[in-house]
Amino acid sequence: MTSEVVTETCLENYKYSFKSDILSGKVALITGGGSGICFTIAEIFMRHGCHTVIVGRKLERLQKSSETLTKATGVKCIPAQADIRKPVEVIAAVDKCLQEFGRLDVLINGAAGNFLCSLEDMSFNAFKTIQEIDILGTYNVSKVAFDKYMKDHGGVIIHITALLHLKGTLLQAHVGVAKSGIETLAKHQAVEWGPKGVRVMCVAPGPVEATEGFNRLTMGLTVEQINQMVPIGKVGTRQEMGEICLFLASDMAGQITGSTVIADGGQWMVSGDE
Ligand code: HXC
């Protein structure tokens, strides 16, 4: 089965809220950066002077996205094909980053798997697959980035999580377990790696429009319908998620580590009330 290569587009008429050089000269490795939220995180970082390496399983998509990002921002982005479940491939991706740029300042762990499935219908392999992509994948990339660069130079690691585990969301046990595990991992990493100058955080988006997750998980509801379920009256945008990560990756967030930034317009507190 061949999967369609979706063409990503960059933001139009981007307005700067932060100084455009706040990540100047830095390098970020972004898993899942070929599409969706993490594509836009890469774009926002690049618009602020940061070179990027985008990592994913689909080389053709990575190549297209890296060309689009470089064209829009004038900053270098290179693709690195890897399945984050496989340490050998993760090591090769981090090596590629270090060979190309000689540094790795920020790691965004955004690659994740998801589908809607009840516990009753879920196979052993389906549950295991999500733990392997989300928890082990996040662990693998963090470990390699730390071992090969951050333990000697410091850095910032941001895991993209979710809010599914806060209320035991239906049909999402596999992902809820994985994402809560990642938030636990972040606390341990923050404590153990803090003395080495590494800050570790999670960003937990709610529904974000124009993403694969939104399309898959909102079960046919429109953006307008979901907007009405959010206390602030609107779902998140990819730009908003990118700018939260930008802040966390910058020196402005120097005191923040081990935390999860919930970025869902308050939806988790009222979900189930509608
Ligand atoms: C039930 C399913 C399934 C489904 C796959 N499986 N899809 N079970 N319902 N819809 C089962 C398969 O049958 C198989 O089990 C096992 O899972 C592994 O599937 P594979 O396709 O062989 O694995 P793989 O090729 O590694 O793909 C993993 C994948 C991936 C997770 C299924 O293809 C995927 O879903 N990619 C989507 C990525 C995505 O949507 N990213 C956005 C995440 S959004 P058996 O027993 O048959 O062998 C996100 C945000 C969440 O994370 C928060 C939202 C609010």
Side-chain angles (χ1 to χ4, degrees):
M1 194 176 81
T2 55
S3 61
E4 189 193 343
V5 177
V6 180
T7 303
E8 290 284 350
T9 51
C10 289
L11 301 161
E12 281 175 30
N13 306 319
Y14 182 74
K15 274 200 195 149
Y16 283 84
S17 300
F18 297 104
K19 281 171 67 182
S20 62
D21 64 351
I22 60 171
L23 293 186
S24 184
K26 302 218 172 191
V27 174
L29 186 138
I30 303 175
T31 73
S35 64
I37 294 174
C38 292
F39 174 90
T40 305
I41 295 172
E43 178 186 344
I44 301 273
F45 277 30
M46 291 168 74
R47 287 188 185 278
H48 292 81
C50 186
H51 298 297
T52 59
V53 178
I54 55 173
V55 178
R57 282 194 288 170
K58 295 175 187 152
L59 184 60
E60 195 186 339
R61 178 158 78 182
L62 292 171
Q63 283 168 335
K64 264 181 140 174
S65 293
S66 63
E67 281 164 24
T68 304
L69 288 165
T70 298
K71 201 169 157 198
T73 64
V75 174
K76 202 160 183 181
C77 172
I78 60 167
Q81 186 179 24
D83 183 332
I84 58 170
R85 291 171 283 193
K86 299 179 180 156
V88 171
E89 295 184 16
V90 171
I91 289 167
V94 172
D95 282 344
K96 189 171 183 182
C97 173
L98 294 174
Q99 276 155 16
E100 179 73 26
F101 297 114
R103 58 191 301 154
L104 172 49
D105 305 282
V106 184
L107 166 62
I108 306 286
N109 277 309
N114 203 350
F115 46 78
L116 292 168
C117 191
S118 69
L119 281 166
E120 188 173 354
D121 292 333
M122 196 150 6
S123 70
F124 292 110
N125 193 37
F127 189 84
K128 179 170 158 253
T129 297
I130 297 303
Q131 309 318 310
E132 285 177 341
I133 298 172
D134 290 23
I135 301 194
L136 292 180
T138 296
Y139 172 81
N140 291 341
V141 188
S142 305
K143 176 173 173 55
V144 176
F146 180 79
D147 287 350
K148 284 192 172 268
Y149 190 81
M150 291 185 179
K151 74 176 177 192
D152 296 321
H153 303 88
V156 174
I157 301 176
I158 300 171
H159 309 313
I160 308 301
T161 58
L163 299 157
L164 306 162
H165 57 292
L166 298 184
K167 286 190 163 184
T169 308
L170 281 170
L171 311 181
Q172 288 285 272
H174 45 322
V175 184
V177 167
K179 298 290 192 181
S180 63
I182 293 170
E183 291 184 1
T184 303
L185 176 65
K187 293 192 183 83
H188 291 281
Q189 291 173 326
V191 169
E192 291 199 22
W193 295 349
K196 302 281 189 185
V198 179
R199 294 187 294 111
V200 188
M201 291 136 290
C202 299
V203 173
V208 175
E209 64 184 28
T211 62
E212 176 71 19
F214 189 91
N215 296 339
R216 280 179 180 231
L217 303 175
T218 48
M219 294 184 275
L221 294 174
T222 62
V223 171
E224 289 68 33
Q225 286 168 320
I226 306 240
N227 282 343
Q228 289 168 17
M229 300 174 184
V230 182
I232 64 161
K234 67 174 213 54
V235 299
T237 64
R238 289 161 47 154
Q239 179 173 336
E240 287 170 328
M241 301 308 130
E243 287 174 341
I244 290 165
C245 291
L246 177 67
F247 165 68
L248 293 175
S250 77
D251 293 341
M252 288 184 284
Q255 274 298 314
I256 302 177
T257 194
S259 319
T260 295
V261 174
I262 294 180
D264 74 334
Q267 200 227 352
W268 80 270
M269 293 180 284
V270 299
S271 67
D273 297 349
E274 56 275 347

